[in-house]
Amino acid sequence: MKAWIAFWNILLKDVRSYYLKPPNISWGLLFPLVWITMFLIRSGMGMDKLPDLLPGLVSLSILFGTTSVLSVTVTFEKKGRSFERLLLAPISLQLLMLAKTSGAILFGAINAFVPILAAMFLTDLSAVNWNFIVPAIVLIAVSSTFLGLFIAVSVKEVFEAQTFSNFFRFPMIFLCGLFFPVHSLPVFLRPLSYALPLTYGTDILRGSMAGTNMMPFGLDFLILSVFCAVLFYLTLRNINKKWIT
Amino acid sequence: MIHPKTNQTDDHQESLIQVDRLSKRFDEIIALDEISFSVNRGDIFGFLGPNGSGKTTTINILTGLSRPDSGTIRVAGLDCTKNPKAAQHLIGIVPDESNLYPELSGFDNLCFCASLYGMRKNERKERAKELLDLFGLHEAADRKFAGYSRGMKRKLTLAAGMIHRPQILFLDEPTTGIDVAGARQIRQLTADLNANGTTVFLTTHYIEEAERLCNRIAFIVKGRINRMDTPENLMRQTQGQHIVQFAFQATTEKACRPIMAEFPDCRCKTVSEGIRVESPQPIRVGPLVRLLEDNGMEVSEAKKILPTLEDVFVKMTGIEAKLMKQEKEKKMGGPA
């Protein structure tokens, strides 16, 4: 019970201090909306084609919603030594890091529903298979958050966290099948696509929204879950190795 | 007022922290070299040493922020060598730099720190108010921590360290970089806390602070404990030592030369106030003044000095305490 009081308050503090701040909202929401508008205008597609673009928009919203703040704040707190307060608290490192990441996961998942809600008013989404959408959104949010955390723990400076986040995020927009399928990429780039967790999350969204998935959902979910577990494990190992020297 | 120093070392006292042959190395640098010590319940245990001597490394290991290469640690009977989390609920830490959240108010910072120890909402609020009152920060309770002065930040960091009423409080250089009044208040609060039953582990480079507060002191130099005892026993090192300090009308750098030549039993060194003459025999001031004046130096003051713990420290470690203090203050950006 005591550990959960700590968990809840770490989450609450991060949501208030970081996630509800305008810069985060602008990165998480405005940026993907600008992208999709650009795609719609550039391609001359009508609103009936929106379900084809929606998986990419949802993935993009989650990716930027989860990673825009987390990697920077963790690095910032580490540098300012306030992170030491958390490491000194009598709660396990696993629970602590889950508390630190829950805000990002929550914000990323909420971000995902903004374009979905908007699309509901603009086009017909009756063919969408909603049963897989929610778990896919949650897993994409978790894997993207853990990727952000992994980056944060791997660097020392705040600017490095920003640079490395973008180093991963921007290629992922093109490599993970957000706006065009992975099989349309040059062959030499495809292994990179399969090495990124967002590819599998986007595949589930594509399959659920437009029926154009490349792999069975079960396999996508399995691989995505493995990514989450491995990234979390590596992050904890890095913290133990680098921060508790 | 400060501290009654009633908790004298007693073999029958319960040992709250027990460290045995603790070692830590950072690449080629040996930070701790098989140090062993114990802190009894009710102690104010002072850990004195220059920058880089291993004070903060010791605190980091004892609190779980760092891992030892070898050795054992027991805190309140719990083995913390392999599981540093085991005793974290019993300890409070005030690091050498104020590390609270700049975006939160003083009150919210304390409530948040309380929540990390599982305290419930009402209990958190009551305790935060109590500590803000105790530290005279109630008027700044709703101001953001980022806007606090250095002294206020230090006090709030101390309040955060004791929010959960820990059995052991680790204070890492608590008064460095803050003004005299603030430092004095922190010393008094530390003494009061100890009088109410909290065991304090204090690292400092202010020797007079340790002398005033601590009932046991360890000198640590280059990762090794040089000497550990009560201040009274440490002071016995200087028994039979006589010191006279001379001040001059004008600055002079050569004042020691004639003294050393004429009185070979005396040790003489230049200090900021003038010169300091030390001898195992009682010093007769008259002949020294005459000698100095015969050599063209106008003595404005001559006074006998009682040996202090600083003298013991210098004697035992060979490190000039003032130099150590200046070095730290330069690093922290201001005097205490």
Side-chain angles (χ1 to χ4, degrees):
Chain A
M1 180 61 195
K2 283 189 168 185
W4 289 105
I5 291 175
F7 176 94
W8 174 246
N9 280 280
I10 293 168
L11 168 60
L12 212 61
K13 185 199 83 66
D14 281 358
V15 168
R16 283 181 186 152
S17 297
Y18 307 129
Y19 294 103
L20 294 179
K21 291 285 159 76
N24 189 47
I25 294 169
S26 68
W27 267 103
L29 298 177
L30 289 181
F31 187 71
L33 281 172
V34 168
W35 267 83
I36 204 71
T37 310
M38 184 190 77
F39 262 89
L40 280 172
I41 294 168
R42 181 76 182 85
S43 63
M45 288 191 289
M47 286 298 171
D48 56 321
K49 292 289 181 192
L50 196 56
D52 292 336
L53 290 174
L54 201 54
L57 180 57
V58 170
S59 295
L60 205 58
S61 298
I62 302 171
L63 182 65
F64 279 84
T66 51
T67 55
S68 54
V69 167
L70 182 75
S71 53
V72 173
T73 55
V74 168
T75 319
F76 178 74
E77 285 188 6
K78 176 72 177 74
K79 210 167 160 52
R81 293 183 63 185
S82 49
F83 203 87
E84 277 178 17
R85 294 213 158 260
L86 307 177
L87 290 173
L88 291 166
I91 56 170
S92 71
L93 187 60
Q94 289 89 331
L95 193 68
L96 164 62
M97 295 323 290
L98 284 176
K100 279 310 276 181
T101 49
S102 292
I105 293 168
L106 209 64
F107 191 78
I110 291 168
N111 261 11
F113 286 98
V114 175
I116 292 174
L117 285 171
M120 278 177 169
F121 292 101
L122 297 171
T123 189
D124 177 23
L125 297 179
S126 58
V128 170
N129 185 349
W130 294 103
N131 292 334
F132 295 107
I133 299 271
V134 175
I137 285 172
V138 171
L139 273 181
I140 296 171
V142 174
S143 59
S144 303
T145 301
F146 287 173
L147 184 66
L149 184 66
F150 178 73
I151 292 165
V153 175
S154 306
V155 298
K156 280 184 180 166
E157 301 291 337
V158 175
F159 78 89
E160 286 178 314
Q162 284 168 326
T163 309
F164 274 97
S165 290
N166 288 333
F167 180 78
F168 278 95
R169 286 191 302 195
F170 284 101
M172 279 162 87
I173 296 171
F174 304 102
L175 291 170
C176 296
L178 267 59
F179 299 111
F180 37 87
V182 172
H183 59 75
S184 66
L185 287 171
V187 179
F188 70 93
L189 281 177
R190 283 183 217 166
L192 269 178
S193 302
Y194 293 117
L196 294 165
L198 195 61
T199 303
Y200 306 95
T202 309
D203 195 48
I204 303 169
L205 294 179
R206 262 190 191 288
S208 308
M209 291 176 177
T212 54
N213 49 314
M214 55 179 183
M215 281 186 283
F217 285 168
L219 188 61
D220 281 328
F221 275 118
L222 180 71
I223 296 173
L224 209 47
S225 304
V226 170
F227 264 111
C228 293
V230 170
L231 282 169
F232 193 58
Y233 167 77
L234 290 176
T235 302
L236 293 183
R237 202 185 64 161
N238 272 354
I239 291 174
N240 266 313
K241 217 168 139 183
K242 292 183 173 181
W243 292 3
I244 308 170
T245 50
Chain B
M1 190 171 136
I2 304 283
H3 186 249
K5 285 193 182 179
T6 49
N7 309 313
Q8 296 300 309
T9 310
D10 180 341
D11 289 343
H12 302 293
Q13 274 191 314
E14 181 194 351
S15 174
L16 212 50
I17 302 172
Q18 253 186 316
V19 171
D20 191 30
R21 298 168 73 88
L22 197 68
S23 291
K24 179 74 183 173
R25 178 186 276 269
F26 295 104
D27 298 322
E28 295 306 305
I29 298 158
I30 298 169
L32 296 176
D33 190 4
E34 297 204 334
I35 62 165
S36 301
F37 62 90
S38 65
V39 180
N40 294 328
R41 190 180 288 279
D43 272 356
I44 297 188
F45 185 85
F47 221 44
L48 261 75
N51 287 343
S53 59
K55 302 190 297 286
T56 301
T57 304
T58 307
I59 285 200
N60 283 347
I61 291 175
L62 291 177
T63 56
L65 276 181
S66 186
R67 283 193 198 86
D69 294 336
S70 61
T72 57
I73 306 155
R74 291 185 83 81
V75 177
L78 301 162
D79 187 354
C80 300
T81 319
K82 290 277 185 294
N83 180 18
K85 288 264 163 203
Q88 278 182 336
H89 61 292
L90 301 173
I91 61 180
I93 299 111
V94 180
D96 57 349
E97 284 172 41
S98 299
N99 67 344
L100 289 165
Y101 295 89
E103 73 278 10
L104 296 185
S105 69
F107 180 74
D108 287 343
N109 257 305
L110 292 185
C111 286
F112 177 70
C113 290
S115 75
L116 296 177
Y117 293 87
M119 288 168 73
R120 291 175 187 279
K121 200 173 184 176
N122 288 340
E123 195 188 354
R124 292 200 291 265
K125 286 185 172 178
E126 272 175 34
R127 181 71 174 146
K129 278 180 193 161
E130 183 190 326
L131 288 173
L132 286 165
D133 283 342
L134 179 69
F135 284 84
L137 293 169
H138 52 279
E139 280 177 15
D142 297 325
R143 269 166 54 193
K144 284 190 177 176
F145 183 68
Y148 276 29
S149 69
R150 194 192 290 251
M152 288 162 81
K153 281 182 177 171
R154 209 75 199 108
K155 282 189 225 170
L156 197 75
T157 309
L158 185 56
M162 53 193 270
I163 190 89
H164 58 296
R165 297 184 177 87
Q167 286 186 27
I168 309 162
L169 189 63
F170 288 90
L171 300 176
D172 195 0
E173 313 272 6
T175 56
T176 301
I178 61 170
D179 61 45
V180 176
R184 197 177 163 79
Q185 198 186 357
I186 286 176
R187 282 181 200 126
Q188 187 61 59
L189 285 161
T190 308
D192 293 346
L193 257 179
N194 178 251
N196 289 327
T198 308
T199 303
V200 178
F201 186 101
L202 171 82
T203 75
T204 182
H205 58 277
Y206 294 122
I207 293 173
E208 65 277 21
E209 180 170 276
E211 191 177 357
R212 235 182 282 176
L213 280 173
C214 302
N215 65 310
R216 286 179 71 225
I217 290 170
F219 294 151
I220 180 168
V221 180
K222 291 180 181 168
R224 284 185 168 202
I225 291 182
N226 193 300
R227 186 72 201 257
M228 182 166 52
D229 217 322
T230 62
E232 293 74 18
N233 285 344
L234 288 169
M235 290 294 290
R236 286 201 185 108
Q237 301 290 321
T238 57
Q239 269 179 359
Q241 193 177 10
H242 302 270
I243 306 169
V244 177
Q245 193 166 291
F246 295 91
F248 301 97
Q249 289 291 359
T251 323
T252 175
E253 288 169 1
K254 296 172 184 171
C256 275
R257 280 188 195 168
I259 292 174
M260 303 285 272
E262 199 75 22
F263 301 97
D265 286 350
C266 291
R267 278 180 61 212
C268 181
K269 62 178 176 181
T270 308
V271 291
S272 55
E273 297 87 354
I275 59 163
R276 218 170 160 182
V277 181
E278 295 175 17
S279 167
Q281 309 298 326
I283 300 171
R284 288 177 62 224
V285 176
L288 281 170
V289 172
R290 276 195 293 278
L291 177 69
L292 288 164
E293 301 221 312
D294 287 349
N295 280 274
M297 283 160 277
E298 205 175 329
V299 177
S300 61
E301 191 185 16
K303 60 178 176 185
K304 282 199 169 185
I305 305 262
L306 289 173
T308 61
L309 193 63
E310 187 173 317
D311 298 307
V312 181
F313 181 81
V314 173
K315 192 176 172 187
M316 307 245 79
T317 64
I319 294 166
E320 280 295 336
K322 274 182 188 154
L323 201 73
M324 185 169 100
K325 192 165 138 185
Q326 280 163 2
E327 205 175 277
K328 186 73 186 183
E329 278 167 359
K330 202 174 164 189
K331 190 185 161 199
M332 303 298 286

